[in-house]
Amino acid sequence: MISALIVAGGKGTRMAADRPKQFLALDDRPIIMHTLHAFDRCTIVEHAIAVFPEHEIPFVESELLPKAGFRLQWKLVSGGATRQASVKHGLDAIAEDGGIVLIHDGVRPLVSEQLIRAVAEGARQWGACIPAIASPDTIKQVDESGLIVATPQRNTMRLAQTPQGFQVDLIKKAHAAARETVVTDDAAMVEAIGGTVRTIAGDRNNIKITNPEDLEIASIYFKRTTP
């Protein structure tokens, strides 16, 4: 079974808006609905979970989902204090340890069906697979004061995206082992327990909406890619 786990539990404080960023409008529809639709229309996805702040779940249930006409029955789960905790809550809602889970940021609404399928196939083949793109810029490693301490070779650097795909038993094991560790993505948890993660080519249109200007860029990309 292939499950989609969409993480939309954040507050989006950097957007300086009166609603969490996942509910802001992109082409007259909340960002999160574009994201859910992307996975709902991908027919390889058989099970769907979305993680929201607990107080937003009634709104999603009553105002958003009934109008969506989704193929899948989306299971809504309350988020945690961190993204990591929210993912763990979502994983706990997957009863079976077999199969594949695709963990995706709720505010990456432009993810393509092609990328979803490619990540799922990579996870099936290798156990853990994430999309990533080469950095167009030189990357500097700095210390807490901003002093440069290293300049990694740019050709070995990648910018990680989602969805990140895993065999369910592997990512559950990684999350269980990472209770005392804070990481920024799920692939890092697998790495921490000695697992290997394969990268595949990401998509530059698959941007994460974090700041107000990202929403403007997403709007341009949306108009470019929508018939």
Side-chain angles (χ1 to χ4, degrees):
M1 180 174 69
I2 297 178
S3 299
L5 198 175
I6 310 303
V7 188
K11 297 179 180 178
T13 53
R14 282 175 285 184
M15 290 295 292
D18 59 357
R19 294 295 308 274
K21 59 187 175 183
Q22 57 268 32
F23 298 113
L24 298 179
L26 173 63
D27 192 48
D28 298 326
R29 189 163 60 172
I31 291 168
I32 186 59
M33 298 307 289
H34 292 285
T35 306
L36 298 186
H37 268 287
F39 284 84
D40 195 82
R41 62 177 169 256
C42 183
T43 56
I44 65 168
V45 176
E46 304 162 271
H47 183 225
I49 300 160
V51 183
F52 288 97
E54 184 173 9
H55 67 280
E56 297 285 1
I57 288 179
F59 168 72
V60 176
E61 287 181 325
S62 63
E63 299 296 327
L64 299 185
L65 292 185
K67 303 171 185 176
F70 284 144
R71 169 182 65 91
L72 296 165
Q73 183 70 40
W74 284 85
K75 181 178 180 63
L76 304 187
V77 175
S78 298
T82 63
R83 182 189 185 280
Q84 186 171 327
S86 292
V87 172
K88 177 65 165 56
H89 290 183
L91 291 173
D92 289 343
I94 301 176
E96 300 177 10
D97 284 347
I100 300 297
V101 60
L102 305 174
I103 304 173
H104 187 66
D105 297 323
V107 287
R108 288 187 189 267
L110 299 176
V111 60
S112 68
E113 181 173 348
Q114 180 182 2
L115 188 62
I116 294 169
R117 289 179 177 271
V119 171
E121 175 58 25
R124 184 200 63 77
Q125 183 174 350
W126 301 305
C129 175
I130 73 168
I133 59 175
S135 172
D137 303 310
T138 298
I139 295 175
K140 299 292 185 179
Q141 181 181 347
V142 300
D143 64 15
E144 293 181 358
S145 71
L147 183 69
I148 294 173
V149 297
T151 303
Q153 289 294 317
R154 188 173 67 181
N155 63 344
T156 66
M157 296 293 104
R158 296 293 183 272
L159 305 178
Q161 297 184 325
T162 68
Q164 298 192 349
F166 307 94
Q167 293 179 358
V168 172
D169 55 350
L170 173 62
I171 193 62
K172 283 189 173 184
K173 178 182 177 182
H175 267 266
R179 289 193 182 110
E180 305 302 323
T181 306
V182 177
V183 297
T184 57
D185 77 345
D186 301 284
M189 294 186 186
V190 173
E191 297 165 43
I193 63 170
T196 57
V197 182
R198 185 70 64 94
T199 64
I200 62 170
D203 180 355
R204 293 197 179 276
N205 287 350
N206 182 29
I207 66 170
K208 183 178 181 181
I209 298 175
T210 302
N211 300 303
E213 55 267 30
D214 297 328
L215 188 55
E216 295 178 16
I217 294 169
S219 180
I220 294 170
Y221 285 177
F222 184 83
K223 289 179 173 62
R224 182 190 303 167
T225 58
T226 302

